[in-house]
Amino acid sequence: MPASDATWLAPRTSLTGSRHAVSSGHHLASAAAFAILEAGGNAIDAGCCAGIALAVLHADEVNFGGVAPIMIRTADGQVVTIDGLGVWPRGIPADLFVREHDGTIPTGLLRTVTPAAPDAWITALRDHGTMTFGEIAAAAIRLASDGFAIFPLIAEGIAARQAGYRRWPANAAIYLPEGRPPRVGERFVQTDLAATLQAMVDGEQAAGGTREAGLEAARAVFYRGEIAERIVAYHEQHGGYLTREDLAAFRCRYEPAVVTRWRDLELLTCGPWCQGPMLAQALLVLEAAGLDGLDHNSADYVHLVVEALKGVFADREHHYGDPAFVDVDLERLLSPAHADARARAINRERAAPGLPPALFGESQSLPAPSRLDAPAVVGEGGVGGEAEPKEGGTSYVCVVDRWGNAFSATPSDGASTSPVIPGTGIVPSLRGLQSRPDPRHPAGVAPGKRPRLTPNPAIALLDDGSVMPFGCPGGDMQVQAMLQVLLNRFHFGMDLQQAINAPRFSTWSFPNSFAPFDYLPDRLLVEDRFDEPTLAELERRGHVVGRWPAFTRDAAAVEAIVRDRTSGFLHAGADPRQPASAIVG
């Protein structure tokens, strides 16, 4: 349809500036980051500021003690990733969940891995930032201690998961003040979280010396000092496995970005310890299959993208895991031969029935996913409409500064399926819910091993020197939404915000990343902005079509910035599917 007739152009338009830009999952986090930029901080300072603020503002979806994978591209072209992901405690038996929990990962302390986000923010600041922890955490401390107005997304999330919060008094005290979920417009205060952050600032200030020494002192308060002692004491008293040694020894890992050429750009993703390389794989499969001549969001286009994604999700299921424990043959997975094989396996007239097979190296011990008869609604942590919604999680922030540094981060972890440590305001990372209970699985449990993470920040680098950091919340929807935005922008030529606003679709024909790993073969969900003939044609091809409301957060919420090297301008977009905000200057 002509661009002027597209109803999805309405919600927002791209913002353009010439100095610096930030886009994040909440306007107050973006405002805090922009203030850092205006004060002379760089993209890393501002991104860390927003990331910690999101742990306050999206308190039911981002936890300061959770995960925070980060990608940084400095102005001189250096690219680094910081995994921001914890590991299973050293003392946990690999077969614990198979042997004692009937192949499930139960709610509570047993899903705890080492909290990684505090170290991730401090590592990024130490090595690439210019400011102190106290400077970049000030906004989060104020928002936590003074409170902020409850907005619909957090009100709905807490209300939906209130049964989980009621399990533990410390969780209920924060998330259910007055014994009920907070209502839109009420003030939401997190006094203990403010105290935790302030204790780290106090440790930094007491250290004296260099900025780096202060940052290490702030970190030590969390991993070796009073916060660590509270975490460990609670685990010792309640049957957890996290120890002083686990916390003291933990450091986030620097790992090279996965660099993939697609047309006139290089796509930078994190490694297969998360689902990031899937995005590159999907682009390569679609390029091999051929996109030319397909109308945007036509039945032919949606079918092809969905079938390509099914094959890539199969590769994730059979191959992706912590490379320190699993031999992930990324060279083969990202090869033209593999992309061609996946493309050739697509039937243009018929949907593949469920998860496609592995094309190489399939583990004989990997069980086939069991089919699930479930409602056609899928949310962040799995299938919606059940008696008990799954754990919520994830937000996103990207920043580009006046010098050309780019920052992309996807902080995450909720607080409804594991206990808040009393007096801290945090849940040590419950990301173990993304490991498979069977240690034989590539993403299976093992002491010291990272769960396979869904959050996956990315950056695109164009041959003309332009840069685009982008990402989103959304669990297994993340790669699907990021792929569609990339194609909208660089294949269909849309304006950045148009590319974000456009209607989305999704496949769920694979085991979900979150325990209990729901599997919905043939399920195709679309936002309620597709025409009836398109949906009828998709159903004729064998897709089981369900509908999301228009602009639903379940379709993920992509934020992005483009630094256009040719014009010198920065263009920023924020997804109307959540209270996201972009600010440019």
Side-chain angles (χ1 to χ4, degrees):
M1 66 174 65
S4 60
D5 295 335
T7 57
W8 41 266
L9 297 182
R12 290 177 179 170
T13 57
S14 295
L15 301 179
T16 300
S18 58
R19 189 169 171 82
H20 38 229
V22 56
S23 185
S24 85
H26 193 280
H27 65 275
L28 291 176
S30 295
F34 193 76
I36 292 289
L37 293 170
E38 291 285 280
N42 68 13
I44 295 81
D45 300 317
C48 291
C49 170
I52 297 173
L54 287 168
V56 178
L57 295 161
H58 284 186
D60 66 326
E61 298 192 315
V62 179
N63 200 280
F64 180 68
V67 301
I70 297 169
M71 181 177 289
I72 297 167
R73 183 183 185 268
T74 57
D76 62 4
Q78 178 188 7
V79 177
V80 299
T81 74
I82 300 169
D83 67 351
L85 173 59
V87 301
W88 283 100
R90 297 177 184 183
I92 198 164
D95 64 349
L96 173 69
F97 301 110
V98 173
R99 177 167 42 85
E100 297 186 12
H101 298 279
D102 196 28
T104 65
I105 296 180
T107 58
L109 288 183
L110 293 184
R111 56 181 52 188
T112 304
V113 298
T114 47
D119 181 67
W121 304 128
I122 289 174
T123 298
L125 278 174
R126 182 194 65 213
D127 297 343
H128 303 283
T130 67
M131 290 186 164
T132 66
F133 183 79
E135 288 171 321
I136 65 97
I141 293 171
R142 175 179 55 80
L143 290 165
S145 60
D146 295 351
F148 60 91
I150 285 286
F151 49 95
L153 180 66
I154 190 172
E156 293 164 6
I158 293 174
R161 291 183 281 270
Q162 61 181 297
Y165 294 120
R166 292 188 193 280
R167 284 196 185 105
W168 299 281
N171 299 56
I174 296 169
Y175 294 95
L176 303 172
E178 302 181 21
R180 59 167 174 80
R183 298 177 182 131
V184 173
E186 292 183 336
R187 187 180 296 271
F188 190 65
V189 176
Q190 298 164 81
T191 305
D192 288 344
L193 177 56
T196 290
L197 293 169
Q198 187 60 53
M200 296 174 69
V201 173
D202 293 345
E204 177 182 56
Q205 293 175 343
T210 65
R211 185 182 72 93
E212 289 75 12
L215 288 167
E216 283 297 309
R219 184 192 178 282
V221 172
F222 190 97
Y223 288 94
R224 295 174 179 269
E226 59 186 272
I227 301 167
E229 289 300 319
R230 287 179 183 241
I231 293 171
V232 169
Y234 192 88
H235 272 254
E236 289 176 345
Q237 294 165 14
H238 296 88
Y241 282 89
L242 201 61
T243 67
R244 289 172 181 81
E245 292 73 24
D246 289 320
L247 290 169
F250 178 75
R251 291 274 179 176
C252 291
R253 306 182 203 190
Y254 273 111
E255 296 195 352
V258 176
V259 183
T260 305
R261 164 63 57 174
W262 180 72
R263 298 185 183 177
D264 63 346
L265 63 79
E266 287 185 333
L267 177 66
L268 311 178
T269 67
C270 295
W273 47 267
C274 73
Q275 62 178 338
M278 284 181 58
L279 181 58
Q281 279 195 258
L283 285 172
L284 296 176
V285 173
L286 290 169
E287 195 70 4
L291 289 167
D292 290 344
L294 300 182
D295 291 336
H296 180 255
N297 278 357
S298 64
D300 286 341
Y301 174 74
V302 173
H303 175 80
L304 179 60
V305 173
V306 163
E307 295 306 297
L309 282 166
K310 286 181 184 179
V312 175
F313 274 113
D315 287 334
R316 184 187 73 171
E317 177 69 12
H318 289 288
H319 301 294
Y320 284 30
D322 184 351
F325 288 75
V326 179
D327 183 14
V328 186
D329 194 347
L330 267 189
E331 183 176 356
R332 185 168 183 175
L333 288 168
L334 292 168
S335 69
H338 187 74
D340 287 343
R342 281 290 182 208
R344 288 195 305 272
I346 295 172
N347 184 332
R348 296 292 187 115
E349 289 298 318
R350 195 69 190 166
L355 190 73
L359 296 183
F360 68 91
E362 183 170 5
S363 170
Q364 296 303 308
S365 65
L366 188 61
S370 58
R371 300 174 75 90
L372 181 71
D373 183 15
V377 180
V378 180
E380 173 96 18
V383 180
E386 297 179 346
E388 183 178 329
K390 302 299 184 293
E391 181 66 74
T394 312
S395 193
Y396 177 75
V397 57
C398 55
V399 185
V400 177
D401 64 28
R402 70 193 77 173
W403 301 283
N405 300 301
F407 180 93
S408 182
T410 314
S412 189
D413 280 8
S416 69
T417 65
S418 194
V420 168
I421 304 300
T424 68
I426 64 166
V427 174
S429 182
L430 44 70
R431 192 50 62 159
L433 87 169
Q434 289 203 301
S435 285
R436 294 302 177 86
D438 188 341
R440 297 171 298 173
H441 192 284
V445 174
K449 186 178 181 181
R450 290 173 287 185
R452 188 180 66 202
L453 194 62
T454 43
N456 64 110
I459 297 176
L461 302 175
L462 277 69
D463 289 347
D464 67 2
S466 301
V467 59
M468 186 179 92
F470 67 111
C472 62
D476 291 314
M477 186 62 199
Q478 286 183 37
V479 164
Q480 302 191 62
M482 292 164 72
L483 174 66
Q484 289 172 62
V485 170
L486 265 183
L487 292 173
N488 291 345
R489 172 73 175 171
F490 295 113
H491 178 72
F492 292 103
M494 295 181 193
D495 164 86
L496 180 60
Q497 188 65 53
Q498 293 176 18
I500 292 169
N501 292 351
R504 292 189 192 135
F505 53 88
S506 60
T507 177
W508 298 92
S509 194
F510 54 85
N512 195 277
S513 288
F514 295 79
F517 316 111
D518 303 323
Y519 174 47
L520 300 174
D522 313 320
R523 192 63 50 83
L524 171 64
L525 294 181
V526 301
E527 286 192 283
D528 196 14
R529 294 186 281 154
F530 286 76
D531 61 47
E532 292 300 327
T534 297
L535 301 184
E537 174 60 19
L538 289 167
E539 289 179 334
R540 186 193 68 78
R541 298 187 194 193
H543 300 282
V544 179
V545 178
R547 301 193 190 193
W548 274 324
F551 294 105
T552 175
R553 177 60 150 34
D554 287 339
V558 178
E559 276 72 67
I561 299 168
V562 174
R563 181 175 181 265
D564 188 325
R565 188 63 178 270
T566 301
S567 69
F569 287 120
L570 294 110
H571 308 284
D575 206 311
R577 296 168 180 86
Q578 70 174 356
S581 176
I583 306 176
V584 300

